Amino acid sequence: MTAPEQGPVPVPEPARFAPEYPIRTERLLLRPIATADAVAMHVYKSDPDAVRYVPYPPLELADVEQRIATTWSNTRFTKEGDAVSLAVEERASGALVGDVVLFWRSENDRSGEVGYIFDPRATGRGYATEAVDALLALGFDGLGLHRIVARLDERNTSSARVAERLGFRREARFVESEWFKDEWTTLLVYALLGDEWRGRRGRR
């Protein structure tokens, strides 16, 4: 007796998560990047010091506009590999102070990665820490991630301080591991688990 022939195994639909915007914190709004943000965003994305450790050179206004229309326009997660970039706006003034990004790196491993860049004129106020904490909520509670990492150039001490304030642990240091912007770069990897993040929030 032979087993009955089976049809194709159904492939489950990919997880889908569409956050509700804007995401509100005590002092900030995180929202989709809009065309109207281009001029304000160009101010810091054209600053060589501000973009020193991000994976693009100083941008022209046309470059910013093009990325807003394409790469930075996604607002939801539909599959592994998706990224959502969000503008960070100061609630009191409505001013754009920076932008953040959450990458969905692996569906199987439930892993993600965060990135962030802020206008130098807005530094020193704790905005990056506040915004990235909201991004972690998006990843852990919204998307259901288990682990989120931040990969930083070792010289980027301000970004490292943000990660450490949020409870990330430094897990690796790769000495001169990447050829980045015409020089060898030492990479630091910080990581945080969802349970660690929730425990830290509970203690606060």
Side-chain angles (χ1 to χ4, degrees):
M1 181 176 180
T2 59
E5 184 177 350
Q6 296 182 350
V9 177
V11 177
E13 287 292 316
R16 289 181 170 83
F17 173 52
E20 293 185 8
Y21 300 114
I23 298 167
R24 299 176 184 272
T25 70
E26 182 181 356
R27 299 176 295 169
L28 305 171
L29 295 178
L30 278 66
R31 55 166 178 76
I33 299 172
T35 303
D37 294 320
V39 172
M41 190 170 282
H42 175 249
V43 171
Y44 60 91
K45 289 191 182 289
S46 62
D47 181 340
D49 290 332
V51 302
R52 182 180 181 188
Y53 303 119
V54 298
Y56 47 79
L59 300 179
E60 300 291 340
L61 179 58
D63 298 323
V64 175
E65 292 171 336
Q66 190 270 337
R67 289 174 185 238
I68 289 174
T70 55
T71 310
W72 299 335
S73 66
N74 184 47
T75 60
R76 62 182 294 161
F77 298 94
T78 60
K79 63 185 182 306
E80 174 184 300
D82 281 349
V84 167
S85 298
L86 299 173
V88 180
E89 178 182 311
E90 187 180 54
R91 291 177 64 172
S93 66
L96 181 74
V97 294
D99 56 275
V100 295
V101 59
L102 175 64
F103 300 91
W104 185 9
R105 292 303 191 194
S106 171
E107 182 174 7
N108 182 67
D109 299 330
R110 291 167 51 203
S111 65
E113 181 177 346
V114 292
Y116 40 98
I117 178 173
F118 281 77
D119 190 322
R121 296 172 299 177
T123 59
R125 306 179 201 176
Y127 284 165
T129 303
E130 187 173 330
V132 176
D133 194 37
L135 204 63
L136 294 174
L138 193 68
F140 288 131
D141 289 343
L143 191 54
L145 298 179
H146 170 67
R147 170 183 165 92
I148 294 177
V149 303
R151 300 187 308 133
L152 310 172
D153 187 304
E154 184 176 51
R155 297 165 297 180
N156 192 356
T157 55
S158 60
S159 288
R161 285 194 295 269
V162 170
E164 290 163 0
R165 280 195 292 267
L166 290 167
F168 281 78
R169 86 187 73 79
R170 199 178 94 174
E171 290 192 336
R173 178 175 183 262
F174 297 102
V175 178
E176 295 190 4
S177 59
E178 295 187 359
W179 183 251
F180 180 72
K181 295 187 176 179
D182 298 323
E183 60 183 335
W184 288 111
T185 297
T186 295
L187 179 70
L188 302 181
V189 178
Y190 284 82
L192 182 65
L193 301 181
D195 288 347
E196 294 170 333
W197 174 77
R198 293 184 188 94
R200 185 174 180 277
R201 285 197 122 192
R203 290 193 298 274
R204 284 187 301 178

